[in-house]
């Protein structure tokens, strides 16, 4: 038996269509949702992700404005840029693509952002609301994973979901979404990380396994329970001279080895990545509605 493929490209396109309809309604009442994207420096991966986000904006009718300060801008100038965007009534959502150069404190930048425009859901106010089950902007990658699971035909209620990775961008918001009360949550959640003892013993208990480690091919066949749903959040560039671009993308899961065992699996590329982009569209349309 081979795992069903959960196609993030197809599901993301479905979500973009839904956002497009919402944006059409907003435009009828004179509001064009607008995302201000800030890309510092020129990391090739970040450039490609931001390009995908702007392309999605075009498709759904969201206006996007790109700010590209040089990698050596000061933390203070960056805070000033964010403040300007906070005060610009035409801007509904602010995206500061991470990572930032080392001399800039990411938390300081995130905290300078208006929580109402924090379409990444990274501001402590939005994360705090998430923890206690209040409505908030949910981080795009975790929110996209929830959509992948449900629209892929699976549920989380009562399931044991094991998350590998405790980042502020994925692991921590993900656990907080999944443990909430509610039809799209109600899971039993285990969060594993680099100090976890006997990791395979825990991952093998997962009905749904979420791999967000940031290490290529980390999850092997022995770590997966037969029939489990495997969500691969990793997106690693591996040197490879076969494709002309000189690299290929692999996830945190050894796809070839795990596919025969899992019940369902997300590919890389074409899994979680496009969902992150689609959920940013959802959050931006929502920010524009909230500003009415
Ligand atoms: N502020 N920083 C902020 N918000 C985010 O939500 C992110 N993330 C992560 C990195 N930094 C961030 C993203 O945007 C990861 N990420 C992201 C976004 C898009 C894609 C992957 C990661 C994506 O489009 N992936 C495609 C392939 C892209 C390629 O060819 O390089 C895919 O099919 O997986």
């Amino acid at each position: 038996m081979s795992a069903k493929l959960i196609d993030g490209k197809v599901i993301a396109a479905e979500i973009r269509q839904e956002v497009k309809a919402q944006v059409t309604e907003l435009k009828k009442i004179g509001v064009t949702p607008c995302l201000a994207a800030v890309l510092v420096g020129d990391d090739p991966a970040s450039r490609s992700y931001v390009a995908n986000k702007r392309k999605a904006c075009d498709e759904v009718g969201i206006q996007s404005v790109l700010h590209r300060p040089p990698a050596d801008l000061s933390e203070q100038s960056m805070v000033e840029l964010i403040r300007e965007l906070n005060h610009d009534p035409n801007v509904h959502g602010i995206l500061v693509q991470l990572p930032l150069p080392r001399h800039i404190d990411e938390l300081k930048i995130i905290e300078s952002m208006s929580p109402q425009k924090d379409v990444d859901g990274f501001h402590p106010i939005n994360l705090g609301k998430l923890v206690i089950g209040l409505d908030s902007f949910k981080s795009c990658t975790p929110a996209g994973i929830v959509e992948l699971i449900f629209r892929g035909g699976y549920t989380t209620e009562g399931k044991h979901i094991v998350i590998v990775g405790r980042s502020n961008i994925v692991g921590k918001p993900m656990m907080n979404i999944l443990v909430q009360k509610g039809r799209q949550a109600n899971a039993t959640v285990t969060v594993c990380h680099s100090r976890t003892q006997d990791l395979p013993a825990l991952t093998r208990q997962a009905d749904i396994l979420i791999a967000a480690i940031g290490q290529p091919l980390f999850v092997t066949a022995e770590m997966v329970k037969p029939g489990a749903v495997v969500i691969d959040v990793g997106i690693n560039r591996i040197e490879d001279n076969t494709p002309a671009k000189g690299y290929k993308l692999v996830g945190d899961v050894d796809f070839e080895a795990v596919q025969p065992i899992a019940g369902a699996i997300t590919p890389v590329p074409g899994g979680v990545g496009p969902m992150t982009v689609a959920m940013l569209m959802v959050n931006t349309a929502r920010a524009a509605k909230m500003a009415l």
Side-chain angles (χ1 to χ4, degrees):
M1 227 204 59
S2 179
K4 187 189 118 164
L5 207 65
I6 305 179
D7 191 333
K9 276 206 263 194
V10 169
I11 298 173
E14 204 174 284
I15 292 172
R16 290 197 304 272
Q17 282 311 304
E18 293 166 14
V19 176
K20 190 174 181 174
Q22 293 173 23
V23 171
T24 305
E25 289 308 308
L26 283 165
K27 285 183 174 169
K28 280 184 195 159
I29 54 171
V31 176
T32 299
C34 174
L35 176 72
V38 184
L39 172 60
V40 185
D42 45 22
D43 174 65
S46 295
R47 262 169 43 195
S48 141
Y49 303 156
V50 170
N52 290 349
K53 291 174 181 184
R54 299 193 73 211
K55 197 166 140 240
C57 283
D58 281 347
E59 188 193 327
V60 306
I62 292 176
Q63 187 192 346
S64 79
V65 182
L66 179 62
H67 296 263
R68 287 214 54 182
D72 63 356
L73 101 157
S74 70
E75 189 179 84
Q76 191 48 39
S77 334
M78 177 113 194
V79 168
E80 275 157 26
L81 170 61
I82 302 297
R83 293 218 173 105
E84 275 170 38
L85 299 172
N86 285 344
H87 290 121
D88 184 340
N90 294 317
V91 169
H92 301 102
I94 304 171
L95 160 73
V96 176
Q97 188 69 19
L98 302 179
L100 292 174
R102 282 228 312 259
H103 68 280
I104 300 180
D105 179 351
E106 287 182 353
L107 183 59
K108 187 159 179 196
I109 300 306
I110 291 166
E111 283 189 299
S112 70
M113 208 180 286
S114 158
Q116 287 83 8
K117 297 191 179 187
D118 169 36
V119 284
D120 262 324
F122 291 165
H123 192 287
I125 293 266
N126 284 316
L127 279 166
K129 284 184 170 179
L130 177 65
V131 171
I132 60 173
L134 294 176
D135 208 25
S136 68
F137 285 114
K138 293 189 179 65
S139 305
C140 301
T141 300
I145 291 168
V146 171
E147 293 297 331
L148 270 181
I149 293 170
F150 280 87
R151 293 180 192 236
Y154 301 89
T155 57
T156 54
E157 172 125 8
K159 299 284 160 60
H160 186 194
I161 303 186
V162 177
I163 302 166
V164 190
R166 54 177 159 183
S167 70
N168 291 339
I169 298 190
V170 183
K172 282 181 200 152
M174 188 79 263
M175 68 182 251
N176 283 290
I177 292 173
L178 292 169
V179 294
Q180 294 303 326
K181 283 188 181 162
R183 214 173 40 80
Q184 297 218 342
N186 285 338
T188 303
V189 183
T190 300
V191 182
C192 303
H193 47 74
S194 53
R195 298 289 181 273
T196 295
Q197 291 183 16
D198 200 358
L199 178 67
L202 289 161
T203 58
R204 271 200 303 270
Q205 290 177 31
D207 301 311
I208 300 176
L209 179 60
I210 300 176
I213 305 115
Q215 281 188 49
L217 313 177
F218 183 89
V219 174
T220 57
E222 302 74 52
M223 295 169 75
V224 177
K225 176 167 84 174
V229 174
V230 178
I231 308 288
D232 191 350
V233 189
I235 176 149
N236 309 288
R237 287 184 175 209
I238 299 270
E239 221 179 296
D240 180 21
N241 289 320
T242 335
K245 33 184 192 192
Y247 69 88
K248 67 171 182 175
L249 294 175
V250 300
D252 290 352
V253 176
D254 185 345
F255 186 90
E256 300 301 322
V258 170
Q259 193 184 30
I261 291 158
I265 188 165
T266 64
V268 176
V272 173
M275 295 300 294
T276 297
V277 176
M279 298 317 287
L280 180 67
M281 302 302 108
V282 170
N283 284 351
T284 306
R286 183 157 170 240
K289 269 190 229 167
M290 280 167 36
L292 287 176

